[in-house]
Amino acid sequence: MATISAVLRRGEPRFNIVGQKLPDSLYDTDEQISPGLVRRLRGYALKQLASAGFEVGEWDCEVYTTDSDRRPAERVYCVEFINQKGGMLGLQGIMTYRGHPSLDHGLTVDCDRTPPSSNPIPHGKRDGGGL
């Protein structure tokens, strides 16, 4: 069970030929989420998922934010738990109050993901699909 964290920056908005917005490109920054906040966000997500009937405590965990342009107290965080088969359950849009998770936007589900322990976030550009 690995836990990694990242502060990501959104790239410039892109549009296709008919004006539809394309997925955002995400770039890794040199910033880190504090270990204490990562622990609190992970615990909050585990509690919320357990109350919804999901036991993901043994899965790899990724904690990230795409709000690098905001102060840490104003950022919105996501916590994703990824199993070895590529299934992902997570909690998105987690807001904090004085460094403690206090509100979220709900569950997120995805498949065909690579667990963080086998493919950590590379430095530089990262595809925004699925985030």
Side-chain angles (χ1 to χ4, degrees):
M1 169 183 71
T3 299
I4 63 168
S5 68
V7 177
L8 304 171
R9 178 181 53 83
R10 291 183 192 274
E12 292 296 319
R14 301 176 301 145
F15 301 89
N16 66 12
I17 197 163
V18 295
Q20 296 171 324
K21 190 170 185 315
L22 298 171
D24 291 330
S25 293
L26 298 176
Y27 298 87
D28 192 14
T29 65
D30 290 332
E31 289 186 67
Q32 294 292 315
I33 302 172
S34 73
L37 182 55
V38 169
R39 187 182 72 251
R40 290 188 298 273
L41 288 165
R42 184 179 187 280
Y44 176 81
L46 281 171
K47 180 180 172 186
Q48 295 297 97
L49 289 170
S51 71
F54 300 104
E55 291 299 327
V56 296
E58 298 300 315
W59 295 9
D60 287 344
C61 179
E62 182 174 350
V63 179
Y64 66 91
T65 181
T66 58
D67 297 330
S68 67
D69 56 332
R70 295 184 179 179
R71 293 183 21 230
E74 298 170 347
R75 292 177 178 164
V76 177
Y77 298 91
C78 296
V79 179
E80 297 177 348
F81 296 93
I82 304 165
N83 68 21
Q84 293 303 316
K85 293 185 179 182
M88 184 276 291
L89 284 171
L91 204 59
Q92 61 187 2
I94 304 171
M95 295 181 220
T96 60
Y97 178 74
R98 295 185 178 178
H100 293 274
S102 61
L103 180 67
D104 64 77
H105 286 87
L107 301 177
T108 183
V109 180
D110 199 5
C111 61
D112 297 327
R113 301 289 291 273
T114 304
S117 60
S118 61
N119 186 23
I121 296 173
H123 186 70
K125 187 174 180 178
R126 174 179 169 162
D127 179 21
L131 291 180

